Amino acid sequence: MDGTGTDDGGVLLRLSCDEVMVLHEALSRTEWADDLEAVMLEPGAERQVATDLMLALRPGVPHLGTQAYGAALSVAEARVVDRDRRP
């Protein structure tokens, strides 16, 4: 994952496909459950930005809404964790 500021005051965020899947899942659970320990979204702006980000990530989430999604997410999560363990 890498973030870069842009000339127009924005931020360009570069994520791997695995990171997109994991982030989308975390945001999706936050939106539906309201009980995650690590992510607490206040109503209003925080919730709106998280929802907008989740919707923007959707095109990069393979198998979303299919029976293959769970297995694909498990593989993505494992690769992200394994990547972070490498020296």
Side-chain angles (χ1 to χ4, degrees):
M1 186 178 312
D2 181 47
T4 305
T6 61
D7 292 338
D8 63 358
V11 175
L12 182 62
L13 186 60
R14 183 179 177 92
L15 293 97
S16 70
C17 290
D18 293 333
E19 290 167 332
V20 166
M21 287 190 75
V22 171
L23 179 57
H24 181 274
E25 181 64 18
L27 290 170
S28 180
R29 274 188 274 137
T30 299
E31 183 177 65
W32 289 98
D34 283 339
D35 64 356
L36 288 183
E37 294 174 17
V39 181
M40 303 293 285
L41 298 176
E42 295 294 322
E46 289 180 12
R47 219 170 261 286
Q48 186 62 50
V49 169
T51 298
D52 292 348
L53 178 57
M54 188 178 71
L55 292 172
L57 293 172
R58 276 190 180 166
V61 180
H63 309 295
L64 187 61
T66 71
Q67 290 189 356
Y69 175 73
L73 178 62
S74 293
V75 169
E77 290 171 332
R79 285 194 292 230
V80 168
V81 169
D82 288 345
R83 179 205 65 211
D84 289 343
R85 290 184 183 161
R86 292 184 195 147

